[in-house]
Amino acid sequence: MAGENNNQAVRSYQKQFKELLQAVYQKQAYFSEFFGGGLEALDGVTHNKTAFSIKTSDIPVVIGTEYNKDANVGFGTGTGKSSRFGERQEIIYTDTDVPYTWEWTYHEGIDRHTVNNDFQATIADRSELQAQAKVQKFDNKGGLFISQNADQAMTLADLSSDAVLKLFNDLNEAYTNMEAIGTKMAWVKPALYNAIVDHPITTTAKRSGANVDTNNILQFKDFAIKKVPETKFQDGEYAYTSIVGVGKQFTGINTARTIESEDFDGVAFQGAGKAGEFILPANKKAVIKVTDGAAGE
């Protein structure tokens, strides 16, 4: 595949790079569950600002208190002027354009005299490494997006058992009261993760899903728990919680190609694209971040 480029000025790898990005994203993106478990990727997109459009309605569902049986409602003097169902509300959906918000690129060179490897194998290796690098960037951007769009913040005073238990009780109460539907998940820093694993209530006798020997926990206080590196969080943050799948992360691939170089005996390996994240305004209330209470003192 890639070796054929020895006799071609340009060879496109957009489709292959798209598939690589999506495969790597599913395996390595820490916040993939927040964005529905996958990266929405398009290859061969034109240079524009809009990723896609969705239809939304800001009109809430209205539930009447009772069916009006008054003789002059819908009948009598109210004929043609009223309804026993109450006031009629018109439902109108609006088109919302979702824009790209950031860009990515790569630009490498493969010289036939110095690469010391098969062209096809080199392109495959570099494509894989570039996909991994881009997914890491997607993940960092995703963490920042979650932080910026959290509807509220709860503080964790310290990592004591009492403080951790109070935090998750408060979180559980918040999601119950908002009547959130779906799997609740918490992405947590390693220090908080360890505090949860070591917590007195995480015992096998209570079927908590904890394994202290392997330092592993899957569930705590009705939240799926995922350990995430500290670098994925913003300063002063311990965790993010949300309902799984409330957001979307996407990218458009403008270019993924090799092109014969005039400057050396080989090809330039180039790529460029646009990316972004999106969450419906109504879904933001299902996103809560946990901050370090001590840091604010």
Side-chain angles (χ1 to χ4, degrees):
M1 179 183 67
E4 299 172 8
N5 194 57
N6 286 305
N7 298 315
Q8 296 180 26
V10 179
R11 182 168 177 82
S12 175
Y13 292 91
Q14 291 185 21
K15 182 178 180 180
Q16 294 93 325
F17 194 62
K18 168 192 170 182
E19 294 171 352
L20 268 174
L21 277 178
Q22 292 173 315
V24 174
Y25 186 93
Q26 291 176 355
K27 295 178 182 178
Q28 298 185 10
Y30 285 99
F31 299 117
S32 62
E33 296 89 354
F34 182 92
F35 298 108
L39 175 71
E40 185 169 321
L42 299 173
D43 60 313
V45 300
T46 57
H47 289 274
N48 54 50
K49 297 181 180 179
T50 302
F52 53 90
S53 295
I54 60 171
K55 288 189 178 295
T56 61
S57 174
D58 293 329
I59 303 172
V61 174
V62 176
I63 301 176
T65 56
E66 64 179 12
Y67 185 80
N68 195 329
K69 303 182 185 68
D70 189 283
N72 289 312
V73 174
F75 293 89
T77 60
T79 302
K81 297 185 295 183
S82 61
S83 169
R84 289 187 171 183
F85 293 97
E87 292 185 4
R88 179 182 293 130
Q89 185 171 17
E90 185 178 7
I91 304 301
I92 300 175
Y93 283 80
T94 58
D95 291 320
T96 300
D97 290 336
V98 179
Y100 293 111
T101 55
W102 53 277
E103 300 181 2
W104 54 266
T105 62
Y106 61 85
H107 188 193
E108 300 178 338
I110 305 171
D111 192 311
R112 294 181 178 88
H113 295 267
T114 60
V115 66
N116 196 32
N117 195 25
D118 177 80
F119 254 61
Q120 182 175 358
T122 301
I123 293 296
D125 289 345
R126 297 311 304 173
S127 295
E128 175 74 21
L129 292 171
Q130 283 293 341
Q132 293 180 22
K134 297 302 169 283
V135 166
Q136 288 301 306
K137 188 169 184 177
F138 293 149
D139 220 32
N140 293 337
K141 291 284 188 178
L144 177 61
F145 179 82
I146 296 171
S147 177
Q148 292 176 335
N149 286 276
D151 185 65
Q152 62 173 302
M154 292 188 179
T155 58
L156 178 62
D158 52 57
L159 292 172
S160 65
S161 296
D162 289 344
V164 171
L165 184 59
K166 181 181 184 306
L167 169 68
F168 276 88
N169 281 340
D170 290 345
L171 285 167
N172 205 335
E173 182 178 337
Y175 281 95
T176 300
N177 288 337
M178 74 175 68
E179 300 184 39
I181 299 174
T183 301
K184 296 189 290 291
M185 191 161 192
W187 296 263
V188 303
K189 276 186 174 180
L192 177 54
Y193 183 88
N194 289 332
I196 295 171
V197 173
D198 296 338
H199 200 281
I201 72 168
T202 56
T203 63
T204 53
K206 299 181 76 170
R207 297 184 180 180
S208 63
N211 188 325
V212 178
D213 294 332
T214 60
N215 199 47
N216 180 55
I217 187 166
L218 302 177
Q219 198 86 9
F220 186 75
K221 300 295 288 186
D222 206 24
F223 284 83
I225 304 296
K226 187 171 185 177
K227 179 170 60 175
V228 177
E230 290 188 12
T231 55
K232 301 295 180 180
F233 295 91
Q234 310 309 303
D235 291 340
E237 295 177 345
Y238 267 121
Y240 303 137
T241 66
S242 85
I243 299 299
V244 169
V246 296
K248 180 186 289 290
Q249 192 165 44
F250 50 89
T251 188
I253 304 171
N254 298 115
T255 300
R257 69 182 184 183
T258 58
I259 183 171
E260 285 289 337
S261 174
E262 295 181 353
D263 303 319
F264 59 90
D265 184 14
V267 297
F269 182 41
Q270 303 169 329
K274 299 174 182 289
E277 296 80 25
F278 177 76
I279 183 172
L280 284 169
N283 285 347
K284 292 181 180 180
K285 65 182 179 181
V287 185
I288 300 174
K289 62 182 176 181
V290 179
T291 58
D292 186 352
E297 297 177 355

